[in-house]
Amino acid sequence: MWHSTTVLWYIVCLIAIGNGDRYHPERPSWRAAAARQVAAPDAAEYTAQHWTEEAQAGIRARQRGARASTAEHTARNIVMFLGDGMSITTLAAARTLLGQRQGRTGEESQLAFETFPTVGLTKTYCINGQIADSSCTATAYLCGVKANRGTIGLSGAVPRYDCAASLQEAARLNSIAAWALDDGRDAGVVTTTRVTHASPAGAFAKVANRHWENDAEILKDNQDPNLCPDIAQQLVNSYPGNLFKVILGGGRREFLPTSSVDEEGTVGRRTDGRNLIEEWQADKRARNVSYGYVWNRNQLMNVAESLPEYLLGLFEGDHLQYHLEADSATEPTLAELTEVAIRSLSRNEKGFFLFVEGGRIDHAHHDNLVELALDETLEMSAAVARAAELLSEDDSLIVVTADHAHVMTLNGYSPRGTDILGPSNDRDEAGVPYMTLSYSNGPGFRPHVNGTRVDVTTETNYRRVDWMSHVDVPLASETHGGEDVAVFARGPQHAMFAGLYEQSQLPHLMAYAACIGPGLHACSAAATHLLAPALLTAIALLNMIKR
């Protein structure tokens, strides 16, 4: 009896023979086809139930190992910070840069969240991806279910681009933002990317392709935007996005028709003729609630003096500018956006859930722009520090993590305090300098000359913020990394975030701490703990009566 893998390989070979040199073994297409002959995921992984049960089992395991909870140790508020692409290497380099900017050696420094009492690690792979993208990870850390790359808010039963499959109710997921709203709390999103980008979309969208940010993108894929609304429309007109009290970020172009030009000259991308900013405002008027729309920092600071019930801020046509390149008069910092959001949401006595993304860490890494990536990380650290100042550790849980890693390396044998953005004190075998921070792939590749690497430190734009570090493998865009990412937690039930676990456990852990959503809750565990002495006393009395 032949093994099934052998049979599959035999069939592939027969197909190759029948198609001439189409599958020539020396061609990349053949190698790619051969690489795909790998074990498939367990069928159960394509269901939401599998990941929910996996997360609940993880919570039960932590309960057994942790001290008993008390009712006072539950979270009224949750703030989840997401550094997009914030690998552990990025953290090490960023904290060093922070210290060196302050005139110290740097390695001993700490980012704001690195002082948090609990640290864990999450595994970031997705259903069909050894190395994840930002959409399947958003589904994991906001909806609690691992998914296919390119999809948001849908279980692994939905392939990318499959509009029809995304309409199946069993495959459609609710996020922790919806769980908070269902409990009477408020919710909001803050990001330095477009608010319709993959990470923030995980809080509100259910879509079979992360690029369906407007109707035109759906039509490009020959799908029907009337059946499967785009991400911007879902944010404005569908639950839970239409109930978010705060939406702050970029991406005006996704809300405006092609016939419109926004305040800063960006042309809209919608072909359905709809102006979703106006629709958002009309919805709030119809519900007789106060609202405000702002598009620059000055307007944000003015409205912050007397915040409306609902606030929409879109500060760029596309993503927000990098902090080091931004116009401070028009562009708010991530810390400022975070503070406005917290002050707004804190008015709900029951509490809130807030998602905050430092999204441009990822973009800078993709372009091999080291200093920009690290500075964006420091901006997120500043935002976390501001949140920690505004919120009590007694009733507010702050969780800081990343969606995936990147392929930047910190290498060489330089002495302590060596400029983290400069070259190593080491040299390659030909005596050519190399950077302490470099990438394994990306657009920063320089062709070798006579078999020797070029000296990048002699380039005319060396060390400018737009200078790309050198790489080994030439690619138009640097890739993500597949290693684990860190999780930092402070506040009620923070100890539950220790250890190594699936990324999809994160929203379940946050929901456990806040007593919202499905599954186990800390308040239920506390009640059981408080009843335990009475139960033991009752049992003892019964035993005495029996005797």
Side-chain angles (χ1 to χ4, degrees), residues 207-386:
V207 64
N209 181 13
R210 58 178 289 179
H211 297 311
W212 291 351
E213 297 181 56
N214 58 66
D215 69 303
E217 293 299 321
I218 300 176
L219 293 169
K220 281 182 185 178
D221 289 331
N222 299 313
Q223 301 295 312
D224 186 351
N226 293 314
L227 285 177
C228 294
D230 59 82
I231 296 172
Q233 189 185 156
Q234 289 187 47
L235 177 58
V236 170
N237 294 314
S238 298
Y239 182 84
N242 62 348
L243 293 185
F244 285 0
K245 290 293 181 67
V246 179
I247 303 168
L248 302 174
R252 287 191 297 261
R253 69 187 195 188
E254 315 300 336
F255 296 79
L256 300 175
T258 54
S259 58
S260 293
V261 178
D262 74 11
E263 296 85 351
E264 296 178 304
T266 303
V267 178
R269 294 199 169 190
R270 304 194 64 83
T271 57
D272 56 10
R274 298 171 67 173
N275 183 320
L276 294 182
I277 296 174
E278 292 180 354
E279 288 188 22
W280 181 87
Q281 294 170 317
D283 172 71
K284 305 306 176 274
R285 282 195 298 272
R287 291 201 272 127
N288 197 30
V289 294
S290 62
Y291 64 91
Y293 167 66
V294 297
W295 65 269
N296 62 50
R297 181 181 180 276
N298 288 336
Q299 292 177 345
L300 178 70
M301 294 299 104
N302 288 335
V303 78
E305 297 298 319
S306 180
L307 285 164
E309 292 177 72
Y310 287 81
L311 178 62
L312 172 64
L314 300 174
F315 303 95
E316 286 288 340
D318 194 3
H319 304 301
L320 269 65
Q321 300 169 34
Y322 287 115
H323 169 250
L324 284 178
E325 299 177 337
D327 180 351
S328 59
T330 61
E331 205 91 346
T333 66
L334 186 58
E336 289 171 337
L337 293 173
T338 301
E339 177 169 353
V340 170
I342 289 175
R343 291 193 183 282
S344 176
L345 296 172
S346 294
R347 293 175 296 186
N348 187 329
E349 293 183 358
K350 290 200 71 174
F352 63 82
F353 171 80
L354 173 64
F355 176 75
V356 181
E357 181 197 21
R360 306 226 62 194
I361 301 168
D362 174 78
H363 298 164
H365 276 319
H366 279 306
D367 289 334
N368 299 149
L369 300 173
V370 170
E371 186 170 8
L372 289 177
L374 301 189
D375 185 74
E376 292 297 306
T377 305
L378 297 183
E379 283 298 291
M380 201 182 81
S381 176
V384 174
R386 191 68 189 114

Side-chain angles (χ1 to χ4, degrees), residues 417-543:
T418 298
D419 181 3
I420 193 66
L421 296 174
S424 168
N425 72 325
D426 194 15
R427 297 289 186 272
D428 71 11
E429 292 181 347
V432 180
Y434 63 88
M435 302 302 291
T436 296
L437 299 175
S438 60
Y439 293 84
S440 65
N441 62 54
F445 178 79
R446 281 81 162 174
H448 295 187
V449 177
N450 297 323
T452 302
R453 294 171 51 255
V454 298
D455 184 351
V456 297
T457 65
T458 64
E459 294 174 346
T460 55
N461 69 334
Y462 173 66
R463 291 298 300 274
R464 285 192 347 208
V465 294
D466 62 350
W467 179 82
M468 294 185 289
S469 188
H470 60 77
V471 308
D472 297 324
V473 177
L475 289 176
S477 177
E478 176 259 13
T479 70
H480 296 167
E483 61 266 36
D484 304 332
V485 296
V487 181
F488 304 86
R490 186 208 84 163
Q493 305 296 329
H494 65 80
M496 296 291 285
F497 293 83
L500 171 65
Y501 44 93
E502 300 289 358
Q503 190 173 47
S504 48
Q505 287 192 19
L506 282 171
H508 296 282
L509 290 168
M510 290 185 283
Y512 172 85
C515 299
I516 58 175
L520 299 167
H521 293 158
C523 46
S524 299
T528 301
H529 172 64
L530 292 170
L531 285 172
L535 289 171
L536 290 173
T537 301
I539 292 169
L541 288 171
L542 285 172
N543 288 333

